[in-house]
Amino acid sequence: MAKKDIIVIGTSAGGIEALRTLVADLPLDFPGSIFVVLHMGSDSPGVLDRILQKVTSIQVRTPADKEEIQPNCIYVAPPDHHLLIEPGIICLSRGPKENRFRPAIDPLFRSAAGVYGPKVIGVVLTGLLDDGTAGLWAIKKLGGTAVVQDPEDALFPSMPASALQHVNVDYRLPLSNIAPLLSQLVQTSADEEPRYDMPDHLNIEVKIARQDPAFDQDIRELWEKSSYTCPECHGVLLQLTEDRRTRFRCHTGHAFSADALLADLTENVEESLWTVVRSIEESVMLMRHLAKHVGEQDPPTAREFLQKAEEAKRRGDLVREALAEHEELNLARVGEQASAD
């Protein structure tokens, strides 16, 4: 009888300490295969395996592409690569970023659900925004088990809170109880076959994550056009609604939840405003330089340059004021402000 022995774990801010706690509490003979995605930058030194190995005797590895999956092993995603699961093997991919990250949690969760269905246990831990929610939804859709750290117990509650809001979660519990729960679940039997076929759009998204070029026409047929552009490549974003939750992808594959898109767009607004400030201030300096340069030979032109410089400076001051009032927004922050009001 098949067991629930494929465990996929996603975390972001506060995740290193959460993973250390969870891994340290696992029994040394834990029979399952564990796959971990922690959000990290592309320039990360990639030492998560060494950090976790210090707290457990279970083997912790950064896997190679096409490496065979082994029991009683913890696999961690390397920097700048999605960690994906194929039948019996691990796939590493530099596919498009999802929710602004590579590695991202949702691609791992979807790929595991598509291959192993009811054998999969998905775990969402502390983190910002909502990566992991769509992937956990896919795990549940294909008969797997959903486990979420209690947001009240999480250092950063946004990710687990989003999962609880949008997914019919099986277990909500504090971090200290997750390892004992996994030890119990991994001994339980899983259905021999998935309860549902993999939805077409999830198949497409797994293809995108592993850089399969055959997805382009499929995504255009199944996803609807939106009014937004991709913050990564500036292409048109397509949209898909899952159980009243809207997600976005561009035709090159970059993916965003509504929350991640809001965060990225408002962050880009600040970057754009700073570019405007820089350009204005450079023009002010140049006009003052030209006024000084032509001053003795052409006083009227010099005065005109100085007047234009002052006008530009006033416009630059207005942009600086806008910057001072600008907010980088996400759903959690807006919710906090609404509660405060």
Side-chain angles (χ1 to χ4, degrees), residues 189-317:
S189 298
D191 294 340
E192 292 293 340
E193 299 292 337
R195 299 173 194 170
Y196 307 99
D197 292 333
M198 184 80 157
D200 288 341
H201 75 275
L202 295 182
N203 268 320
I204 293 169
E205 291 187 286
V206 172
K207 289 181 181 179
I208 292 171
R210 65 172 184 246
Q211 296 178 283
D212 185 334
F215 74 85
D216 185 51
Q217 188 60 38
D218 292 336
I219 192 172
R220 291 175 184 273
E221 292 176 356
L222 292 176
W223 295 50
E224 299 177 358
K225 286 185 178 180
S226 78
S227 302
Y228 312 108
T229 56
C230 174
E232 294 281 349
C233 68
H234 309 295
V236 175
L237 283 173
L238 307 175
Q239 66 183 32
L240 172 79
T241 301
E242 289 175 334
D243 290 348
R244 302 189 302 275
R245 184 172 185 270
T246 302
R247 297 192 287 112
F248 302 89
R249 274 196 188 271
C250 68
H251 70 277
T252 60
H254 299 116
F256 302 87
S257 67
D259 198 8
L261 181 61
L262 175 63
D264 213 334
L265 290 176
T266 55
E267 181 180 307
N268 287 347
V269 167
E270 179 172 350
E271 293 176 359
S272 299
L273 289 175
W274 279 117
T275 299
V276 171
V277 168
R278 174 187 56 77
S279 299
I280 291 175
E281 292 186 349
E282 286 179 354
S283 71
V284 168
M285 289 188 291
L286 180 58
M287 285 188 285
R288 287 173 176 171
H289 171 79
L290 291 171
K292 184 177 180 181
H293 180 70
V294 304
E296 294 184 2
Q297 293 82 14
D298 191 351
T301 299
R303 287 195 296 272
E304 187 68 19
F305 269 130
L306 290 174
Q307 180 180 337
K308 296 294 185 185
E310 288 305 309
E311 291 172 358
K313 183 179 182 303
R314 286 194 292 273
R315 290 193 293 271
D317 290 342

Side-chain angles (χ1 to χ4, degrees), residues 124-135:
V124 174
L125 303 178
T126 173
L128 295 170
L129 300 181
D130 59 357
D131 192 20
T133 295

Side-chain angles (χ1 to χ4, degrees), residues 95-142:
K97 292 181 180 179
E98 288 210 26
N99 294 320
R100 313 196 297 169
F101 283 97
R102 186 177 54 231
I105 300 164
D106 286 334
L108 168 63
F109 282 20
R110 285 191 206 102
S111 68
V115 174
Y116 290 108
K119 296 183 64 177
V120 178
I121 302 170
V123 182
V124 174
L125 303 178
T126 173
L128 295 170
L129 300 181
D130 59 357
D131 192 20
T133 295
L136 198 66
W137 179 89
I139 288 172
K140 282 292 294 181
K141 181 73 173 177
L142 294 174

Side-chain angles (χ1 to χ4, degrees), residues 85-101:
I85 296 176
E86 296 182 354
I89 63 172
I90 294 166
C91 175
L92 301 181
S93 165
R94 295 195 71 253
K97 292 181 180 179
E98 288 210 26
N99 294 320
R100 313 196 297 169
F101 283 97

Side-chain angles (χ1 to χ4, degrees), residues 6 31 55 61 63 122 165 207 285 293 299-300:
I6 301 294
V55 298
R61 296 176 51 78
Q165 181 180 356
K207 289 181 181 179
M285 289 188 291
H293 180 70

Side-chain angles (χ1 to χ4, degrees), residues 57-71:
S57 294
I58 300 173
Q59 185 180 24
V60 184
R61 296 176 51 78
T62 298
D65 188 34
K66 306 305 181 185
E67 181 173 327
E68 290 188 5
I69 296 172
Q70 301 294 332

